Amino acid sequence: MRNLNQDNLTEAVIARLADTPDLRLKEIMTALVQHLHDFAREVKLTEAEWRRGIEFLTATGHKCTGTRQEFILLSDVLGLSMLTVAMNNDKPRGCTEATVFGPFYVEGAPHYENGADLANGASGTPCQVRGSVRGLNGEPVAHATLEVWQADDKGYYDVQKSGLDHAQARGVLHARGDGSFDFRTIVAEAYPIPTDGPVGDLLRATKRSPWRPAHLHFMIRAEGYETLVTHVFRNGDPYLDSDAVFGVRQSLVADWAKQPDGSYLLEYNFVLNPVR
């Protein structure tokens, strides 16, 4: 087709997708093209702005490494990550709510027994975490797998530390037969998301705060139940209402109770949704 213009170009592009054998891919790409073109028309996108956008996405890709996902960070600060989570995790009342995955999960974390110290040298105030994993009807979820990760008191995850040759404040353990679990770690503290890349440039350009409230990451898996990816947030944190990635849910806010010896205790019970 020749002589395409701003009035008929979108239809021509969509027509080229007509023979896509994967119907879901066809649906997604058709909508993507339609919305992208409508966006360009709405804001009257200039060629210079288009080039700047390409440069921004290129820089985002260059910032990604095996231990840092700048595209996830970008999705997080745009609210797309949390929107996707909300649309795909409409659980029955009583189940623990899901929230964003975050850019600092890594596979292959060390395994620990209950009661072990997952901090493994990470700096921070000592904290004991204990709780249980149960199903929607109150049944204990025996031997559920819990993956846990968090930042230290300076706001850094282990994968952000150059020269560190072992995992810190990160680990895998299993609930006991009655669904209970406990481990030692450090107190969660608020921290800013990384701002040394394109996402940081975007936050500064839009005068947005990079701060996340203190939280502890969990991913919990068990046969017969939906996998849960969530955080537990520290009650009283000043950033609970301005989380840079929009991840806070009131049901995920809990108290870190100070103990007589100066350490802290977090107690939280998780409820998984059965697979239908």
Side-chain angles (χ1 to χ4, degrees):
M1 187 175 181
R2 302 181 183 182
N3 300 321
L4 294 171
N5 56 47
Q6 61 180 307
D7 298 319
N8 61 17
L9 180 59
T10 303
E11 292 181 5
V13 177
I14 291 174
R16 299 283 178 91
L17 301 171
D19 296 328
T20 305
D22 185 326
L23 295 183
R24 178 59 175 165
L25 176 61
K26 179 182 178 181
E27 177 185 12
I28 291 172
M29 289 303 301
T30 298
L32 177 64
V33 169
Q34 185 71 63
H35 287 291
L36 277 176
H37 286 214
D38 287 346
F39 160 76
R41 292 187 181 94
E42 179 183 346
V43 301
K44 296 180 173 58
L45 192 68
T46 68
E47 291 178 84
E49 290 164 343
W50 172 81
R51 284 193 297 271
R52 183 68 187 94
I54 294 297
E55 291 168 358
F56 176 83
L57 292 176
T58 301
T60 300
H62 287 166
K63 198 65 178 178
C64 295
T65 68
T67 56
R68 173 165 173 177
Q69 237 301 348
E70 191 78 359
F71 273 111
I72 289 181
L73 201 61
L74 176 60
S75 176
D76 288 349
V77 302
L78 293 177
L80 181 60
S81 300
M82 195 58 222
L83 176 60
T84 304
V85 169
M87 291 191 302
N88 289 276
N89 288 274
D90 188 14
K91 302 179 187 297
R93 183 181 297 275
C95 289
T96 302
E97 292 187 272
T99 190
V100 294
F101 199 62
F104 293 115
Y105 170 79
V106 293
E107 296 182 352
H111 287 247
Y112 292 92
E113 298 295 327
N114 277 283
D117 179 19
L118 274 62
N120 199 19
S123 60
T125 303
C127 177
Q128 182 180 15
V129 180
R130 65 189 183 203
S132 65
V133 183
R134 297 191 174 273
L136 187 57
N137 296 317
E139 72 279 10
V141 180
H143 312 302
T145 300
L146 297 95
E147 293 201 49
V148 185
W149 65 103
Q150 70 175 106
D152 64 15
D153 62 355
K154 297 179 178 61
Y156 293 109
Y157 290 82
D158 52 1
V159 293
Q160 295 176 277
K161 302 174 184 178
S162 60
L164 185 66
D165 61 358
H166 63 278
Q168 289 185 334
R170 182 187 304 274
V172 182
L173 66 154
H174 293 88
R176 301 181 181 90
D178 64 355
S180 67
F181 67 88
D182 70 275
F183 59 90
R184 289 174 291 138
T185 183
I186 52 176
V187 173
E189 303 284 357
Y191 65 85
I193 62 174
T195 58
D196 59 338
V199 172
D201 294 338
L202 177 63
L203 292 180
R204 283 185 288 272
T206 54
K207 295 191 181 300
R208 285 182 51 188
S209 167
W211 282 85
R212 295 215 64 203
H215 60 275
L216 187 57
H217 291 264
F218 285 87
M219 181 164 66
I220 304 176
R221 293 172 290 183
E223 185 175 354
Y225 296 88
E226 294 179 1
T227 296
L228 173 66
V229 176
T230 194
H231 303 359
V232 178
F233 293 92
R234 187 177 174 186
N235 196 18
D237 191 284
Y239 300 104
L240 286 172
D241 294 316
S242 59
D243 182 11
V245 307
F246 309 97
V248 178
R249 296 293 178 267
Q250 182 57 42
S251 66
L252 303 177
V253 178
D255 292 318
W256 265 251
K258 191 170 185 177
Q259 304 300 293
D261 63 357
S263 67
Y264 283 76
L265 171 65
L266 167 65
E267 296 182 288
Y268 197 87
N269 300 314
F270 297 92
V271 179
L272 303 186
N273 191 28
V275 174
R276 294 178 176 83

